[in-house]
Amino acid sequence: MLYIVATPIGNLKDITFRAIETLRGVDKIYCEDTRRTSKLINHFGIKKPLESFHEHSEGKIERIIAELKQGDEIAYVSDAGTPGINDPGGKLVSAAREAGIEVSPIPGPSSVTALLSVAGIAADKFCFMGFVPTKKGRETFIKDMLNRKDPVVFFETAPRLPKLFDQLNNLGGENRVLIVGRELTKQFEEIQIGTVMELKQYFLKPRGEFILLLKSS
């Protein structure tokens, strides 16, 4: 059995009882970053073998599948939140299913649904687009966001946030409204709503982790 386990996006109290029970019961835990996941499992007294599996270690998939076939129960966790959204979890799940291995989701926190829940919009339809590209395809990506009819949820890093606001403004989004979540569930959590340039003035020196929602026009 392969378990896909959601973990807190910031506040460790957000972990579910079932996630703790699952992580305690498996034979091994694979994760994106062993340093980050070590803090989580140590906090809850979980003592299990821990190994990295990230976007640059997809060559490990065959070995993980072999371990599953020999009867090991394995859990996969991302750095934070629900795996398979912005990490290599999807490829591992696909390989496991092709090998006839059962996969079980252990649901829990997600920054995407966390932001949608406080956006004050009808979120029955939305588009999630992951991280804004750093260079190649960045302008095309932003134009695509601005042209979509449904709300768009996406990530941006703090250093590139001012550039994002300028590009949105220059590409015709000057009057569009954004909901910005900074450090969600953490001590310095902030949720700000405003036009592109209003938010640029507010986040003059942005720090932390950001998730944004561009409201439909």
Side-chain angles (χ1 to χ4, degrees):
M1 175 76 80
L2 172 64
Y3 295 96
I4 304 301
V5 184
T7 55
I9 59 176
N11 191 324
L12 294 182
K13 294 178 182 178
D14 288 337
I15 198 166
T16 67
F17 290 120
R18 188 176 175 213
I20 294 173
E21 182 181 68
T22 300
L23 294 175
R24 284 178 175 163
V26 296
D27 297 296
K28 191 173 186 179
I29 301 169
Y30 280 92
C31 61
E32 280 193 275
D33 188 332
T34 54
R35 294 166 299 180
R36 188 158 183 170
T37 304
S38 290
K39 294 178 182 178
L40 173 72
I41 65 174
N42 289 338
H43 181 82
F44 291 103
I46 299 168
K47 301 185 184 300
K48 293 293 175 178
L50 195 64
E51 188 172 337
S52 64
F53 174 69
H54 47 73
E55 60 180 337
H56 302 298
S57 62
E58 291 174 7
K60 289 183 178 181
I61 288 180
E62 286 188 14
R63 177 155 61 83
I64 298 172
I65 298 302
E67 291 170 351
L68 287 161
K69 282 185 173 180
Q70 72 183 14
D72 287 357
E73 291 206 328
I74 290 174
Y76 173 68
V77 303
S78 61
D79 280 348
T82 300
I85 295 177
N86 209 61
D87 55 76
K91 293 181 179 179
L92 177 59
V93 168
S94 178
R97 292 202 181 283
E98 287 180 8
I101 293 162
E102 192 172 352
V103 182
S104 178
I106 310 298
S110 165
S111 60
V112 175
T113 52
L115 185 64
L116 284 166
S117 72
V118 294
I121 64 169
D124 52 331
K125 292 182 180 180
F126 69 93
C127 174
F128 173 68
M129 296 183 65
F131 274 97
V132 182
T134 56
K135 294 179 181 178
K136 186 178 180 180
R138 185 178 174 91
E139 186 171 308
T140 300
F141 181 99
I142 293 170
K143 286 180 179 178
D144 187 11
M145 284 200 303
L146 290 169
N147 288 330
R148 289 184 178 267
K149 295 180 180 180
D150 296 323
V152 179
V153 182
F154 62 99
F155 298 126
E156 182 59 293
T157 63
R160 292 197 296 269
L161 196 64
K163 180 181 178 181
L164 172 71
F165 291 141
D166 284 336
Q167 289 179 301
L168 284 167
N169 182 65
N170 295 337
L171 293 172
E174 62 274 9
N175 296 318
R176 299 290 293 275
V177 174
L178 288 164
I179 295 101
V180 180
R182 185 181 83 89
E183 296 288 275
L184 290 183
T185 79
K186 301 177 185 178
Q187 182 179 359
F188 298 106
E189 174 184 276
E190 271 190 283
I191 298 166
Q192 296 293 332
I193 302 174
T195 64
V196 169
M197 298 315 288
E198 286 172 344
L199 290 167
K200 181 188 177 181
Q201 290 302 311
Y202 182 84
F203 291 109
L204 291 175
K205 296 181 179 180
R207 297 175 63 185
E209 295 183 344
F210 287 84
I211 181 166
L212 302 91
L213 185 151
L214 178 68
K215 293 183 70 173
S216 51
S217 56

